[in-house]
Amino acid sequence: MDDAAAPSRESDPLSGHQARSGALLDGTLGNLRGAAIAVDDDGLIVSVNSAAQSLLGREASGLVGQDFHDLLHRDRYGHSVPRTRCEIRKALLTGDTRHGDAEWFARGDGTLVRLSWLVTPYAPDPSRAGALTLLYEAERPDVRHSDGGHSAPLTELDRLALLAETTTQLTSTLDVDEALRRLAALTVPRLADWAVFDLLTERDEVRRALVMEHKDGILVERDDLQGPMPPVPAESPMPLSRALRGAASSLAGPATYQGPPDSGIAVEQQRLFTATGMHSAVISPIRGLRDVLGAVTLGRAQRHDAFTPADLPLLEDLTRRAGLALDNARLYQRQRKVAETMQRHLLPQLPVLPGLEMTARYVPAPDASAVGGDWYDAFALAAHAHAHALAIGDVVGHDLDAAAGMAQVRNMLRAFAWSHPEAAPSAVVTRLDDAVMHIAEVPMVTMILARLTLGNDALWHLRWTNAGHPPPLLITHDGQSRYLDEAHGILLGTGVTRPRPDAVTVLPPHATLVLYTDGLVESPHHSIDDGLDRLRRHAASLVHRPLNSFCDLLLDQVRPHDNDDDVAMIALRTPAPA
């Protein structure tokens, strides 16, 4: 083609428009004094200013074009944060304005920096969507004293900022103790010198859960003032007793509790005011959606000015947010306790086999209930003293529904294998597949069923079938490893009828066999082949370890940190040669 016929870049209106837009974006960010990073709707960095480059210790060339989340966002250990748990990415996808505090980001030299962030939708022109992220180093709020030890009153903007920060901090945790510590850090020393939290248990007992003091510029937890409290008196007019019954917020001071105490709680309050030196306090109930959850006391000791009735509305706004957060945290903890109890009953006790070591592990998904669809099993087959069944499986999902389905499948498998101890694993799984289609309330299942027998040669023989599951890994004592990838058939629940194969191998003396679920090797950012190769290499390097240590280290070193699936694993080790 003639060069004259090819349009020049300068004559292309779209290219010129994009260039002008890019220059405008760079110029806009350059005018910001704070660290600013612009990303497109895919989360790729399109522009950074010099403040961001300095804060992150990275040149613009190493930032632009990279995925903001993958490149920068980390947890406290320096691992990549799973995308499903990234609030910054959620804000980008939903087009919301959000902010967060004290999260970790990776600098160019490999160190971590703890930053707060604000992300908001931003489009330099109608043809380009994205978001603008501001990063800044979080500072503990200063106590704003005027002369004479009096604290300057909060402005309306300060109050709104405090309430917004409280909402963000408390709704981002489902741990009751962590929520209390965050509220203490938000109010001390900004509003008070002391923060005291009294919580009601589900049995209406009172526990002084947290006492925090601002001392020498830091927050100090006072364990000596924490612990069980006397019961709430039904008619006491004292401020804390009234707050624990759900009455309105009130002011208090040492004089409030100077008279003869009307209850055990009043005695504890006398002790509190004496020990802390508080001369003024505000006490407010913490209300949940249905019940009173506790009370918070904010006290002043170092600063001279006392709380006034004008301070009560702000405290009530704070405790209202605290009540919702604690309600959610308690509900989550109750569900988790139920889930953990259920999991203990679902996962079996492993049998004891002569000369053979066996252990198992289960790790729940980080963002789900403490149960899931992954399971392992091992049990004796009735007809043979030295014949046992081994199973590993995964029902799609990692929640209570998946756990219930897993229990159905596992129990049916046990029944089929027990009632047909001579049957090949493939025959048992074929029958189980038919039952899954017509009886069990599960979508699809992957699994391995193996029959482990002690042969006349004094060696352990393994016969197995694989229904769409990752292959078992066999590692010899000298570190040679191979996947048992024979006998591979389709998963359960598809409705497709195909013959299922079996395979047989002899386990060498002092060898280690590992059966596992895909959560150990799958990652959103790497192929399954990469995960299998990582497992094989680490298992070979750790095989000389005792079996329990081998399993713990394998989970720690192999399980992807960005995976949000649960993991089940069962491992056995044959005896050393006589």
Side-chain angles (χ1 to χ4, degrees):
M1 179 181 291
D2 194 325
D3 289 344
S8 68
R9 187 169 184 84
E10 287 78 6
S11 65
D12 183 349
L14 180 58
S15 297
H17 177 66
Q18 290 176 337
R20 289 190 298 273
S21 297
L24 178 61
L25 177 58
D26 292 339
T28 301
L29 298 193
N31 293 330
L32 297 176
R33 298 181 62 183
I37 300 176
V39 300
D40 63 17
D41 54 2
D42 290 324
L44 300 181
I45 298 172
V46 295
S47 184
V48 297
N49 66 358
S50 58
Q53 296 174 53
S54 176
L55 185 62
L56 296 171
R58 298 174 182 268
E59 297 292 332
S61 58
L63 291 166
V64 173
Q66 300 295 316
D67 186 289
F68 178 96
H69 171 82
D70 293 347
L71 180 68
L72 301 176
H73 203 185
R74 299 290 184 269
D75 63 16
R76 69 180 67 183
Y77 306 108
H79 303 139
S80 296
V81 175
R83 291 183 169 227
T84 55
R85 291 161 51 191
C86 179
E87 293 297 322
I88 300 175
R89 185 167 180 79
K90 289 180 184 177
L92 173 64
L93 295 175
T94 58
D96 295 336
T97 296
R98 301 189 190 189
H99 84 278
D101 290 296
E103 297 198 34
W104 297 99
F105 296 86
R107 289 174 50 85
D109 59 4
T111 60
L112 299 178
V113 58
R114 202 171 192 181
L115 304 172
S116 296
W117 55 267
L118 173 70
V119 61
T120 188
Y122 178 74
D125 61 66
S127 66
R128 303 171 66 192
L132 180 65
T133 302
L134 302 178
L135 302 174
Y136 56 97
E137 295 184 273
E139 297 180 359
R140 186 176 297 279
D142 296 329
V143 185
R144 305 192 309 161
H145 288 297
S146 59
D147 293 338
H150 293 269
S151 57
L154 296 180
T155 66
E156 186 62 24
L157 182 60
D158 291 333
R159 293 164 63 91
L160 292 175
L162 174 59
L163 293 175
E165 192 174 2
T166 300
T167 300
T168 300
Q169 290 277 3
L170 297 189
T171 56
S172 61
T173 181
L174 289 172
D175 183 89
V176 171
D177 294 334
E178 177 63 20
L180 296 182
R181 286 185 172 83
R182 291 184 182 189
L183 185 56
L186 289 166
T187 54
V188 178
R190 185 181 285 175
L191 302 177
D193 304 311
W194 290 84
V196 182
F197 298 92
D198 297 296
L199 297 185
L200 290 163
T201 70
E202 294 182 352
R203 298 182 178 180
D204 289 331
E205 297 167 348
V206 184
R207 177 175 63 95
R208 182 147 282 171
L210 183 66
V211 179
M212 298 291 282
E213 172 191 11
H214 185 248
K215 184 177 182 180
D216 299 327
I218 61 173
L219 284 179
V220 178
E221 183 173 349
R222 290 290 298 271
D223 295 336
D224 57 311
L225 298 177
Q226 299 171 182
M229 294 276 285
V232 181
E235 304 296 335
S236 172
M238 306 304 284
L240 180 58
S241 300
R242 295 179 67 251
L244 290 171
R245 297 198 304 266
S249 304
S250 58
L251 302 174
T256 309
Y257 290 94
Q258 278 181 352
D262 67 349
S263 64
I265 280 187
V267 174
E268 290 299 322
Q269 285 298 86
Q270 285 179 340
R271 175 175 171 244
L272 178 69
F273 276 92
T274 300
T276 61
M278 294 188 301
H279 62 81
S280 177
V282 286
I283 303 176
S284 179
I286 302 175
R287 300 184 184 91
L289 294 175
R290 291 169 296 276
D291 306 306
V292 178
L293 305 179
V296 58
T297 300
L298 298 182
R300 290 178 177 174
Q302 284 83 28
R303 64 186 86 185
H304 300 162
D305 53 328
F307 284 108
T308 69
D311 296 307
L312 297 180
L314 175 60
L315 180 59
E316 289 173 348
D317 278 339
L318 293 172
T319 55
R320 189 177 303 115
R321 288 161 170 77
L324 292 174
L326 293 184
D327 237 359
N328 290 334
R330 283 186 166 181
L331 176 61
Y332 173 77
Q333 290 179 347
R334 283 195 295 269
Q335 291 175 332
R336 188 172 184 87
K337 185 176 181 180
V338 170
E340 288 172 348
T341 302
M342 181 178 178
Q343 188 70 56
R344 283 196 298 271
H345 289 290
L346 290 178
L347 296 178
Q349 295 293 322
L350 298 179
V352 177
L353 281 71
L356 194 71
E357 295 181 69
M358 187 183 301
T359 191
R361 297 290 185 272
Y362 177 82
V363 182
D367 288 337
S369 302
V371 294
D374 292 21
W375 92 92
Y376 59 82
D377 204 355
F379 53 93
L381 295 172
H384 298 276
H386 297 300
H388 286 74
L390 297 178
I392 193 85
D394 184 1
V395 174
V396 173
H398 44 82
D399 52 22
L400 287 172
D401 289 338
M406 172 267 285
Q408 287 182 309
V409 173
R410 198 200 72 174
N411 290 337
M412 288 191 297
L413 174 64
R414 279 194 161 209
F416 293 154
W418 178 267
S419 60
H420 296 81
E422 302 288 351
S426 59
V428 175
V429 173
T430 297
R431 191 173 184 189
L432 177 64
D433 190 11
D434 188 51
V436 165
M437 289 296 300
H438 296 93
I439 299 176
E441 299 175 359
V442 297
M444 287 184 289
V445 184
T446 70
M447 65 167 294
I448 292 173
L449 176 63
R451 178 187 174 91
L452 185 67
T453 56
L454 185 61
N456 294 330
D457 54 3
L459 297 175
W460 288 93
H461 295 237
L462 187 78
R463 183 177 187 181
W464 77 97
T465 190
N466 188 329
H469 201 81
L473 177 62
L474 180 63
I475 315 103
T476 61
H477 183 61
D478 60 3
Q480 297 184 58
S481 60
R482 71 180 181 95
Y483 282 105
L484 306 182
D485 50 13
E486 303 90 347
H488 206 85
I490 62 173
L491 69 169
L492 280 62
T494 64
V496 178
T497 302
R498 290 181 184 172
R500 293 188 177 276
D502 288 285
V504 179
T505 191
V506 176
L507 303 181
H510 216 197
T512 302
L513 179 70
V514 183
L515 289 80
Y516 54 93
T517 56
D518 57 6
L520 184 64
V521 293
E522 282 195 343
S523 166
H525 302 106
H526 301 283
S527 70
I528 184 68
D529 289 338
D530 290 337
L532 291 171
D533 184 60
R534 186 171 62 251
L535 171 61
R536 182 189 55 77
R537 288 186 289 104
H538 282 280
S541 70
L542 297 170
V543 74
H544 65 285
R545 299 267 190 166
L547 193 59
N548 280 311
S549 175
F550 169 85
C551 290
D552 292 336
L553 290 169
L554 206 60
L555 280 171
D556 181 64
Q557 297 178 13
V558 175
R559 186 188 184 205
H561 297 291
D562 57 353
N563 196 359
D564 58 359
D565 200 0
D566 45 350
V567 176
M569 181 171 69
I570 186 167
L572 60 88
R573 181 166 291 165
T574 57

